[in-house]
Amino acid sequence: MIHALSADEFGRLVASLTRPSVLGEAAALAACLAGAWLLVRLLRGREPKPGSIWFGDGVIDGVLFPVAALALALAARWGLQGVLPLALMHVAVPVLVALLAIRLTVRVLHRAFPHSSFVRAVERWVSWLVWIAGVLWILGLLPLMLAELDAIQWKIGSTRVSVRNLLEGLVAAVVVLMLALWVSAALEARLLAGATDNLSLRKMAANALRALLLFVGLMFALSAAGIDLTALGVLGGALGVGIGLGLQKLAANYVSGFVILAERSVRIGDMVRVDNFEGRVTDITTRYTLIRALNGREAIVPNEMMVTQRVENNTLADAKMALTTVVQVAYGTDLAAMMPRLAAAVAAVPRVLDDPGPGVQLSAFAADGLELTVVFWIADADKGTGNVRSDVNLALLRLLDEAGVEIPYPQRVLRRAS
């Protein structure tokens, strides 16, 4: 029966789209699209706004273009009623609604989860489902399918639930969660804009705000689906048991993330060393901390490890870091005259701090010479430590060569037994 109705509706649709009056509708629709493009272009300005949900990366790939086009198309359809037999407008409106739903989902997910590979799979599924629903709407089959789905019911306690209720609840949940993610992404961008020393606190506030908005959105979605929220008490108890048994580590990581952000023991931008991995903290999420080493490698460290294990923070109280290098000079070298010259040579190296200044110490009487330890300080460890140590060693070598001081090397005497 549905197949026969689909064929009839399709035949009537094709017949209506072949009438001469469609040309007038096409002109009106083209004017609506051009007006929407011009409106977005004027509001967007000449400067691009990458990552914007409203404008997107271009003129027509944001949410504002389908919104404006849909509004103009609805106005045009209202104005053409009684003037022309409408056919093309009945197709254009569902297409624009589907385009709006897809654009909203894609832009919000990209903004909320910019580095997630799962987003692309969600985009494909949403696109397929939205376009299928749009085709059913155009063919007039959507009300029939909803009526059939409404007839499939079962009883849960004292409440009757149908497949249609579940689908409508799912759609409502998706819409509400998309709006919640949109609002949280906008507020997060506003909170993190211009943040410097209080970046960690702002990050914690943004994470808490996103969790609160998602929770409120989920409650509204469940209420819209007709689900009794008093039954969530049982679900909450089961969730608590699940956390207590199987999700201990996950819950501990989330709690530890908020503890780190609240205590500010580790902040975004700090140079830390955790589990023999050293680098700069680039992000602190609710579950893990992202550390980027100077060689480009990145480590994803669970927040529980940042709380329960030893963490060396080189920039928590002071960004200055002490580095050392060792050099040997021959026995008999005038150290009283040479040590100040070595300190002055190190002080002349770029990135070496004057306060505290470099120091030279006689650290050991080695087998082959006098061992001198040179201590110097830097304030930009994020630029690397091996390069500045190399510059210091080269400066020491030039000075020793100019002064004619010998750098001893191991010598061994072999005696042949007679």
Side-chain angles (χ1 to χ4, degrees):
M1 178 179 177
I2 293 179
H3 179 72
L5 290 173
S6 175
D8 294 341
E9 289 291 339
F10 184 74
R12 284 194 292 267
L13 179 63
V14 172
S16 63
L17 291 176
T18 56
R19 291 195 295 256
S21 59
V22 173
L23 296 177
E25 290 185 85
L29 182 59
C32 293
L33 295 177
W37 184 90
L38 181 61
L39 176 63
V40 176
R41 183 68 178 82
L42 292 176
L43 294 177
R44 180 175 180 265
R46 295 183 178 180
E47 294 295 330
K49 299 178 180 180
S52 172
I53 296 177
W54 278 109
F55 299 99
D57 298 327
V59 178
I60 64 173
D61 59 345
V63 176
L64 185 57
F65 177 77
V67 169
L70 179 60
L72 293 176
L74 291 174
R77 188 176 70 172
W78 177 80
L80 291 176
Q81 285 181 350
V83 179
L84 293 175
L86 300 180
L88 185 61
M89 285 297 178
H90 291 314
V91 177
V93 170
V95 170
L96 291 175
V97 171
L99 181 62
L100 172 60
I102 294 173
R103 288 285 171 82
L104 177 63
T105 303
V106 170
R107 299 308 306 180
V108 170
L109 288 179
H110 271 291
R111 183 67 177 272
F113 309 103
H115 305 295
S116 176
S117 59
F118 181 70
V119 172
R120 295 188 178 274
V122 174
E123 291 174 7
R124 289 193 295 268
W125 279 101
V126 169
S127 300
W128 276 103
L129 293 176
V130 169
W131 285 124
I132 290 174
V135 171
L136 294 176
W137 182 3
I138 293 172
L139 295 178
L141 299 178
L142 189 58
L144 297 177
M145 292 195 65
L146 291 178
E148 292 293 332
L149 294 175
D150 197 25
I152 305 174
Q153 298 181 356
W154 61 89
K155 193 173 182 180
I156 301 178
S158 60
T159 305
R160 284 193 171 274
V161 180
S162 66
V163 177
R164 179 175 179 175
N165 296 140
L166 295 179
L167 291 178
E168 290 177 349
L170 179 62
V171 172
V174 170
V175 172
V176 172
L177 292 180
M178 287 299 105
L179 293 177
L181 285 175
W182 188 353
V183 173
S184 66
L187 294 177
E188 182 178 359
R190 185 65 62 88
L191 284 172
L192 299 182
T196 54
D197 56 338
N198 58 348
L199 181 59
S200 297
L201 289 177
R202 296 194 181 196
K203 187 73 174 178
M204 181 187 67
N207 291 336
L209 185 62
R210 172 178 293 186
L212 177 62
L213 288 175
L214 288 177
F215 176 76
V216 174
L218 182 61
M219 293 298 102
F220 274 108
L222 293 176
S223 178
I227 298 177
D228 187 8
L229 298 183
T230 57
L232 293 179
V234 179
L235 178 62
L239 182 61
V241 174
I243 292 177
L245 296 178
L247 303 179
Q248 299 181 40
K249 292 294 183 181
L250 185 61
N253 287 325
Y254 276 96
V255 174
S256 299
F258 283 101
V259 170
I260 293 172
L261 292 171
E263 291 182 348
R264 304 183 67 188
S265 56
V266 176
R267 302 165 299 184
I268 297 177
D270 287 355
M271 291 293 298
V272 299
R273 183 180 181 87
V274 184
D275 195 22
N276 294 325
F277 188 90
E278 185 174 1
R280 176 176 291 277
V281 177
T282 57
D283 194 12
I284 302 176
T285 68
T286 53
R287 189 180 65 84
Y288 62 86
T289 298
L290 190 62
I291 302 176
R292 182 179 178 86
L294 299 177
N295 58 5
R297 294 186 304 148
E298 290 185 337
I300 300 177
V301 182
N303 286 329
E304 184 188 13
M305 183 179 295
M306 302 291 293
V307 174
T308 59
Q309 294 191 9
R310 173 185 173 184
V311 178
E312 298 180 12
N313 194 332
N314 297 325
T315 55
L316 179 59
D318 196 344
K320 298 177 182 178
M321 177 185 293
L323 299 177
T324 61
T325 186
V326 177
V327 63
Q328 283 191 6
V329 297
Y331 282 100
T333 303
D334 186 1
L335 295 182
M338 183 54 59
M339 292 171 66
R341 296 181 61 186
L342 293 175
V346 174
V349 175
R351 295 180 55 196
V352 174
L353 299 179
D354 295 329
D355 184 22
V360 182
Q361 304 168 354
L362 177 60
S363 54
F365 297 98
D368 304 303
L370 300 172
E371 183 179 278
L372 302 178
T373 299
V374 181
V375 183
F376 58 95
W377 293 77
I378 60 174
D380 49 2
D382 56 308
K383 295 181 180 179
T385 57
N387 47 8
V388 67
R389 184 179 281 111
S390 175
D391 293 339
V392 168
N393 288 335
L394 290 174
L396 295 175
L397 182 61
R398 284 193 298 269
L399 176 61
L400 294 177
D401 289 341
E402 293 173 359
V405 176
E406 177 186 0
I407 300 178
Y409 54 89
Q411 298 184 11
R412 298 295 181 263
V413 177
L414 299 178
R415 298 180 181 275
R416 187 173 60 181
S418 55

